[in-house]
């Protein structure tokens, strides 16, 4: 089958690799309908994370089940499925407590790769959720978004305890940040402040429910959030970048007793214990337990109540994966969909 | 009046200073019954925090109201009162949300000093809670503990979401850690693991409700907690020290999705964003909002359901404050009470 393979920093090639097979009786093999490029794929693409030989890329996916192992019970061939970017057994104590992304048997799908025609999905019962029927084609981008960026933005908003009566600030205007805005709105937040200085992203944030836009960053961004919240800071802040500056901006923007949900993958971040202590915020984040939210998210998409697929502003066939990476690397695209 | 004054590192003298007076109409002046020395008083005593000239010490207190300002409504002269180590107006949005220690008008009592015969208490209505009557003498140590160490240990356990069905680990066997053990028990925790290598403190932890004692520290301590919790880590961890090692030990000891309540005042702590991200814990702490818990704590003490005063293993008259500091500095005492 064809798959996007990273050979060296900046060098993505779509080439023939072996077809996946059922290895464990809990596996499924799916034929992908669509996949995409994630902000986190850019770390190895840019050489920030080292790459050891040619490596198949990707971890987001929707598609049709082709084959299942003997022990798979909840999905069957022919069904259209959405799965999390982390495979999880669904039965361990951590999964049952709502943290499948930290499942004791978890497999990061990035270790398998999903920018390909087919993919093996470990722990199919604990990982995949079937849609009610084969979806209309225009729903595919939104269902694909649920696999990671929507689920991650949603977790950020849940971790930040966005809800009725709350003012929510979102740091980061990438796909995850924009979808955290959408999530905060669905969760009933009263006021949603998107921090962005890109016009097109500001527009999308507003369409997703942002009530205010703040263009300042760092200390100035914090000061502006305080100004908008009676000097106190936001009740809820979602951090969707993962840098030192964005984490400090997020913590500084929250009021004492408030909640910071951080879902940007941290790179070289060191938090001052003293600042955290006196900020008195709640801090929670990590790799999003997307599987926890999938049934609800699929339902909202199926009923056309949310349209998270709008974050895809570039759509290319899988064969043009290299161009998709370039467009995201150069920030010409927020998020690139690859149709298979 | 007499008061303990720090002149230089290691040099505490009890001497005459001016009597306090009502300054604001929201103030009260109390005559202290008892006060004590806190672990945090040792930072300036040891010269780790710099001292600028002679400074009155202390921030924990119980006593009898002598005089109140014109606007004070909830306490009156003659009443026995307990107050938090942070004075708070009780009316701002942060106070009403349960975070009086981050009140927009807060005053840290350490800036006033309470190791003295009398003390001015700002924001008396928002800060002080009167007991039902003058207390029996044997209740005074427990009521004094409520002013800081009990309230702080309690907040640590609440922030760690200690409760029924939960395994709670406590890092730190000072007065706050020991009282976090007591709090976890009152909050219904199923299993309480005290981390301590001091025999007398282990004994007190067991009396307060600890079901397990772990003597290992650092990575070995984390490994031992994992071993005791099916490889997953504790649901709830209270951090009651404030060092780099204790914070890492606390975060490492919690399971994914678990809660870490940190109440040790952080000194030179830097947390790795990446470790925190992948630990997937909830982190919450800071200066304890003691005032939130005072009515409940006073009631439990008044009904003799808890005896937090047992953390005082040294009791001296105020005049011997210097010896109280020495005993705590040399770890001969867990906590020293000063009777006035």
């Amino acid at each position: 089958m064809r798959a996007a393979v990273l050979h060296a920093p900046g060098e993505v090639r779509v080439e023939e690799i072996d077809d996946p097979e059922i290895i464990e009786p809990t596996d499924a093999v799916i034929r992908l309908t669509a996949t995409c490029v994630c902000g986190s794929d850019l770390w190895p693409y840019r050489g920030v994370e080292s790459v050891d030989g040619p490596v198949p890329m990707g971890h987001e996916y929707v598609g049709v089940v082709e084959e299942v192992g003997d022990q798979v019970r909840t999905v069957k061939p022919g069904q259209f499925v959405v799965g999390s970017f982390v495979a999880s057994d669904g039965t361990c104590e951590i999964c049952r407590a709502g943290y499948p992304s930290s499942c004791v048997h978890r497999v990061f799908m990035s270790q398998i790769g999903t920018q390909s025609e087919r993919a093996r999905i470990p722990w199919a019962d604990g990982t995949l959720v079937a849609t009610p029927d084969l979806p209309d084609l225009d729903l595919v981008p939104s269902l694909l978004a649920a696999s990671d960026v929507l689920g991650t933005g949603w977790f950020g908003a849940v971790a930040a305890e966005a809800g009725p009566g709350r003012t929510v600030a979102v740091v980061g205007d990438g796909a995850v940040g924009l979808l955290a805005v959408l999530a905060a709105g669905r969760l009933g937040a009263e006021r949603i402040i998107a921090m962005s200085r890109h016009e097109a992203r500001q527009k999308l944030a507003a369409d997703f429910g942002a009530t205010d836009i703040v263009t300042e960053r760092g200390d100035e961004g914090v000061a502006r959030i305080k100004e908008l919240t009676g000097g106190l800071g936001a009740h809820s802040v979602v951090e969707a970048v993962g840098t030192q500056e964005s984490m400090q901006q997020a913590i500084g923007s929250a009021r004492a007793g408030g909640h910071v949900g951080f879902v940007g993958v941290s790179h070289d971040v060191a938090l001052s214990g003293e600042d955290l202590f006196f900020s008195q915020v709640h801090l929670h984040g990590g790799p999003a337990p997307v599987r926890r939210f999938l049934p609800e998210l699929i339902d909202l998409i199926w009923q056309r109540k949310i349209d998270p697929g709008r974050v895809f502003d570039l759509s290319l066939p899988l064969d043009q994966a290299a161009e998709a990476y370039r467009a995201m690397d150069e920030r010409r695209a927020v998020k690139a969909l690859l149709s298979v």
Side-chain angles (χ1 to χ4, degrees), chain A:
Chain A
M1 66 169 183
R2 286 172 308 133
V5 175
L6 181 69
H7 285 260
E11 195 182 334
V12 169
R13 294 186 218 153
V14 175
E15 57 194 29
E16 281 292 321
I17 65 169
D18 288 343
D19 263 307
E21 289 175 5
I22 299 289
I23 299 173
E24 302 290 338
T26 45
D27 288 348
V29 168
I30 66 168
R31 177 169 44 79
L32 280 98
T33 303
T35 179
C36 49
V37 182
C38 184
S40 66
D41 291 328
L42 297 181
W43 294 103
Y45 180 80
R46 288 171 173 161
V48 181
E49 282 174 11
S50 62
V51 179
D52 195 21
V55 54
M57 296 292 289
H59 53 266
E60 299 159 289
Y61 56 97
V62 290
V64 176
V65 178
E66 284 202 333
E67 194 185 350
V68 297
D70 289 345
Q71 291 176 21
V72 174
R73 295 285 170 272
T74 63
V75 294
K76 57 189 179 189
Q79 282 186 318
F80 189 92
V81 290
V82 186
S84 162
F85 68 97
V86 184
S88 53
D89 67 19
T91 58
C92 77
E93 207 171 321
I94 301 297
C95 278
R96 282 184 283 126
Y99 287 89
S101 48
S102 289
C103 168
V104 299
H105 295 119
R106 75 175 166 192
V107 179
F108 281 97
M109 289 303 300
S110 55
Q111 294 166 344
I112 292 180
T114 64
Q115 289 163 1
S116 52
E117 291 181 285
R118 289 182 178 74
R120 180 176 75 87
I121 312 293
W123 306 112
D125 280 339
T127 306
L128 299 173
V129 178
T131 55
D133 206 335
L134 292 181
D136 292 339
L137 204 60
D138 68 324
L139 287 183
V140 169
S142 287
L143 292 166
L144 175 61
S147 180
D148 181 350
V149 281
L150 173 60
T152 296
W154 199 273
F155 173 55
V158 167
E161 302 218 342
R166 303 283 181 115
T167 294
V168 180
V170 178
V171 179
D173 62 1
V176 171
L178 291 167
L179 291 169
V181 167
L182 180 151
R186 289 299 310 182
L187 293 165
E190 186 173 301
R191 191 173 184 187
I192 304 168
I193 307 169
M195 304 187 88
S196 171
R197 46 180 62 178
H198 297 85
E199 206 176 327
R201 296 172 186 220
Q202 291 173 353
K203 167 87 177 54
L204 194 48
D207 288 354
F208 280 161
T211 54
D212 300 79
I213 303 288
V214 163
T215 55
E216 292 87 349
R217 286 185 190 168
D219 290 344
E220 286 175 14
V222 169
R224 185 81 186 107
I225 297 288
K226 294 251 163 116
E227 206 178 294
L228 290 169
T229 54
L232 302 177
H235 300 95
S236 304
V237 182
V238 180
E239 190 287 331
V241 184
T243 62
Q244 183 72 25
E245 187 191 32
S246 64
M247 280 296 279
Q248 285 179 341
Q249 187 173 322
I251 293 167
S253 297
R255 66 180 58 195
H259 291 77
V260 176
F262 70 109
V263 290
V265 184
S266 290
H267 281 83
D268 295 325
V269 174
L271 299 177
S272 151
E274 212 159 341
D275 288 353
L276 206 54
F277 186 84
F278 287 102
S279 75
Q280 198 139 50
V281 301
H282 298 76
L283 191 61
H284 181 45
V290 169
R291 179 62 179 80
R292 188 205 304 175
F293 307 114
L294 274 182
E296 181 183 0
L297 299 182
I298 290 172
D299 187 54
L300 286 171
I301 293 165
W302 204 261
Q303 295 186 48
R304 297 181 182 273
K305 289 186 177 167
I306 58 174
D307 50 0
R310 289 184 63 198
V311 295
F312 293 106
D313 53 355
L314 178 65
S315 183
L316 294 169
L318 174 62
D319 282 341
Q320 293 178 37
E323 167 55 17
Y325 274 83
R326 272 193 300 273
M328 282 187 60
D329 180 39
E330 295 164 9
R331 291 180 71 83
R332 283 184 280 120
V334 174
K335 186 134 181 106
L337 180 145
L338 297 169
S339 54
V340 186

